[in-house]
Amino acid sequence: MRPTHFALFHTNILFLTISRFCHQDDIFKCLLVNSSWTKIVVRVLWNAPIWRTKKSYQKFLSSLIKPKTKYSYGEFVEKLIFTTHPTISSFPFTIQSLDLISERCVNTKFLVFDCQKSISLDYNDHFPPEVLSMFLTRCSKLIYLKGPRFTTVDWMISALRPIQQGSCPNLKSLIMSWDWRDSSLNNLLHDIGSRCQQITTLNITTDINDQRTAKIIVDSFPLLEKFSCLTINYLSLRVIINGCRHLNFMKFEFSPELNDDWALTLANSFPSLNSFILIRGWLNLPKFFKAWAINQKKLRHIEFLDYSHLSFEMLQPIIQLCTNLESIKLGNCDRITDSSITYLAKHRGRNLKYLSLHYANEITDIGINSISEHCRFLQTLNIFECPKITADSIINIIKRCRFLVELSGNYSVTMISPIIKSIISIGSPKLEIFSHSLLSLNISQIIRTVNSSTLEKLGRNLPKLRKFDIRYPIKGINPKKFMKAFLNFPQLEKLCIVPPPNLKRKHIKILESHPRLKEIWFLTHENSKVEQYVRERSNANVIGVHIILGILYSEEEL
């Protein structure tokens, strides 16, 4: 085992500590290890800092500027993600603090901004371009950039000027929002491509309706492997697929002008893809998909999202001819019925690993039972808003698909109890994620689904469970026994529950003793004692598991 892997494997608790940025030098005093091993641990833990509270962010900053430290911590940072946490309305990402981070963390390779309005009020609450520009100037080793949404073309040009000037020659992935209505886009794309010749991933959140833009993408990014945009018209798509011959991933929406005959002329020109995502489709394209699927022998994953015209006639050739297909996601495709799912199960059988169905109103137990019968190596099943699917077919999945790693969905009140009972009686030794995201606060409708005894049995039957998410109010149980029952899940890392109404701080402390638990979400009605404890704990910057309290007043608030 390589030293870095050894350090990462053996330092779970230390990771939890430093990820909250209690100062590292204090922790090293407790480490009875040699200095070289300690440096490996520090490098691993500082690789991608996490800030879940304002205080943890301030601790991180103080570690960067403290004059006497064992190491130059900023040099270990390779991944920075600036985003707001769900429980924090405004994060203190000021221009001054970001200036400090960009100055000290010069080895950053991955940079993500998801916090456009969380920087400074000096710019009318907008993300100033100078912030992104100074990171791009100082982080010459950058290989991945996801920028914030820009407000004007001038903002974009100013923010990305360092890239145009050659400051990030190693950049491989670029994800940005653009404005296709301005001619500056073409010049900017040309300049970036000429300076960053290693770019293989380009995600531009805009419409491509101009052949000139498509031609510049082809000429400026010769190594392009992954391409995403919003809508693309027929002529521009023809330029892209004929020019970018290394493409293995595409995500876009066909423009409304396209028809099946036009699309058919493109089918044979498509590069052989590993993954294809088609969104918001209103076009019936059976000829296109039949011809397209013939050349897609490498296709492993396909998604159709909000494709109202997707039919069995269009899906059939993909299932039949794409012999390496192992993952499929269908979201809000109204015309897909059991016949499509049954055909998928019979033709992809043992190869199918991932199935996700969202808003599949016409799919019933017939389709899911065919999956359990033919797809014994299924690893992930995600069912969301599929009203005609019952617990019976889900139980058959549990019985027959013994390699299942994730079982998630928003099952009804009447479904969850038999599903859990089946897991207890049958067992699911490889299951790592069990997520039930449907919240119901109507106590009168709740069947007593989960109690201490149930959890203890689940723990024995789910030895590898890492994430447990079940959102039902629970009444009439002993909260101490209930919290202790979660200690029976040896690998549990994230827990999301609606706790008993009589939960107290002493009960929460039981959960805090779990050796691997990293994050707890309590979704509950107002509980002053728990709320006070969580607040005190946050203010004291307590080391260990991170607790998030969601105060719920109605089902609609989740």
Side-chain angles (χ1 to χ4, degrees), residues 180 185-186 189 204 206-219 224 227 229-244 247 250 252-255 257-258 262 265-266 269-271:
W180 64 270
L185 170 62
N186 292 343
L189 283 172
I204 48 178
T206 186
D207 301 318
I208 305 295
N209 293 325
D210 185 350
Q211 290 184 77
R212 291 173 298 175
T213 303
K215 186 68 165 59
I216 287 175
I217 291 173
V218 170
D219 294 340
L224 201 61
F227 175 71
C229 67
L230 294 183
T231 301
I232 187 167
N233 66 6
Y234 167 72
L235 295 176
S236 299
L237 181 58
R238 187 173 65 179
V239 172
I240 293 289
I241 62 177
N242 284 319
C244 300
L247 283 176
M250 296 189 76
F252 58 82
E253 172 190 348
F254 285 124
S255 65
E257 67 173 15
L258 195 69
W262 279 16
T265 65
L266 301 173
S269 300
F270 260 84

Side-chain angles (χ1 to χ4, degrees), residues 419-475:
I419 289 175
I420 289 180
K421 287 180 180 178
S422 70
I423 293 176
I424 292 174
S425 62
I426 301 168
S428 189
K430 295 186 180 295
L431 197 67
E432 296 181 12
I433 299 174
F434 181 71
S435 177
H436 168 64
S437 58
L438 177 64
L439 176 75
S440 179
L441 298 180
N442 189 340
I443 302 296
S444 63
Q445 294 181 358
I446 298 299
I447 299 174
R448 186 170 172 175
T449 303
V450 180
N451 55 31
S452 305
S453 176
T454 302
L455 288 174
E456 290 175 0
K457 295 175 183 177
L458 274 176
R460 290 194 293 268
N461 286 276
L462 301 176
K464 293 188 177 182
L465 195 71
R466 295 185 297 105
K467 178 182 177 181
F468 187 38
D469 184 341
I470 183 165
R471 307 184 183 192
Y472 280 107
I474 303 165
K475 296 183 67 177

Side-chain angles (χ1 to χ4, degrees), residues 144-393:
Y144 180 98
L145 172 63
K146 181 180 179 181
R149 294 187 65 85
F150 68 91
T151 53
T152 65
V153 174
D154 291 338
W155 185 102
M156 178 179 61
I157 294 174
S158 176
L160 298 181
R161 184 167 289 114
I163 294 183
Q164 294 176 273
Q165 296 172 348
S167 294
C168 303
N170 300 315
L171 194 66
K172 293 184 178 181
S173 298
L174 179 62
I175 303 173
M176 287 290 291
S177 296
W178 310 86
D179 189 345
W180 64 270
R181 289 175 293 272
D182 193 281
S183 59
S184 301
L185 170 62
N186 292 343
N187 295 332
L188 188 58
L189 283 172
H190 175 270
D191 292 344
I192 292 175
S194 62
R195 295 291 187 176
C196 305
Q197 298 183 0
Q198 298 186 47
I199 287 183
T200 58
T201 299
L202 182 64
N203 185 338
I204 48 178
T205 310
T206 186
D207 301 318
I208 305 295
N209 293 325
D210 185 350
Q211 290 184 77
R212 291 173 298 175
T213 303
K215 186 68 165 59
I216 287 175
I217 291 173
V218 170
D219 294 340
S220 302
F221 304 96
L223 301 180
L224 201 61
E225 297 177 2
K226 299 180 180 180
F227 175 71
S228 304
C229 67
L230 294 183
T231 301
I232 187 167
N233 66 6
Y234 167 72
L235 295 176
S236 299
L237 181 58
R238 187 173 65 179
V239 172
I240 293 289
I241 62 177
N242 284 319
C244 300
R245 302 311 301 173
H246 298 290
L247 283 176
N248 58 49
F249 171 92
M250 296 189 76
K251 178 182 178 180
F252 58 82
E253 172 190 348
F254 285 124
S255 65
E257 67 173 15
L258 195 69
N259 57 49
D260 203 18
D261 291 330
W262 279 16
L264 184 60
T265 65
L266 301 173
N268 293 326
S269 300
F270 260 84
S272 183
L273 303 176
N274 292 329
S275 181
F276 185 43
I277 302 176
L278 200 55
I279 54 177
R280 287 185 292 276
W282 296 277
L283 303 170
N284 190 17
L285 306 173
K287 294 180 183 178
F288 165 76
F289 280 110
K290 185 175 182 179
W292 177 82
I294 293 174
N295 298 318
Q296 299 300 321
K297 302 299 183 182
K298 296 195 306 182
L299 191 72
R300 302 174 70 89
H301 173 79
I302 193 164
E303 289 186 34
F304 292 98
L305 306 177
D306 297 315
Y307 204 130
S308 58
H309 275 74
L310 183 68
S311 62
F312 175 61
E313 184 183 8
M314 296 164 62
L315 201 57
Q316 182 184 18
I318 298 174
I319 296 171
Q320 181 181 8
L321 300 173
C322 300
T323 53
N324 281 306
L325 188 67
E326 64 180 21
S327 174
I328 184 167
K329 180 176 181 179
L330 303 174
N332 202 16
C333 301
D334 298 335
R335 298 189 180 187
I336 297 301
T337 63
D338 288 328
S339 60
S340 297
I341 304 303
T342 301
Y343 194 82
L344 171 69
K346 290 180 178 180
H347 281 78
R348 296 280 58 86
R350 296 164 62 91
N351 291 333
L352 189 67
K353 302 295 193 303
Y354 310 93
L355 176 62
S356 181
L357 302 172
H358 288 198
Y359 297 96
N361 297 321
E362 300 304 318
I363 295 177
T364 71
D365 285 346
I366 295 174
I368 303 302
N369 282 332
S370 66
I371 295 292
S372 65
E373 181 180 355
H374 298 282
C375 307
R376 299 300 179 91
F377 288 89
L378 189 73
Q379 295 179 12
T380 296
L381 178 65
N382 183 278
I383 303 292
F384 186 85
E385 291 295 330
C386 300
K388 294 182 180 180
I389 296 175
T390 73
D392 293 339
S393 60

Side-chain angles (χ1 to χ4, degrees), residues 50-54 57 81-93 112-119 125 127 521 546 548:
I50 302 170
W51 313 298
R52 293 192 175 97
T53 66
K54 294 181 180 180
Y57 181 64
I81 300 177
F82 297 101
T83 185
T84 53
H85 195 271
T87 59
I88 303 173
S89 58
S90 178
F91 227 97
F93 294 143
V112 176
F113 285 99
D114 280 332
C115 54
Q116 179 178 348
K117 294 189 176 181
S118 304
I119 302 296
D125 209 22
F127 191 110
W521 285 72
H546 184 60
I548 302 168

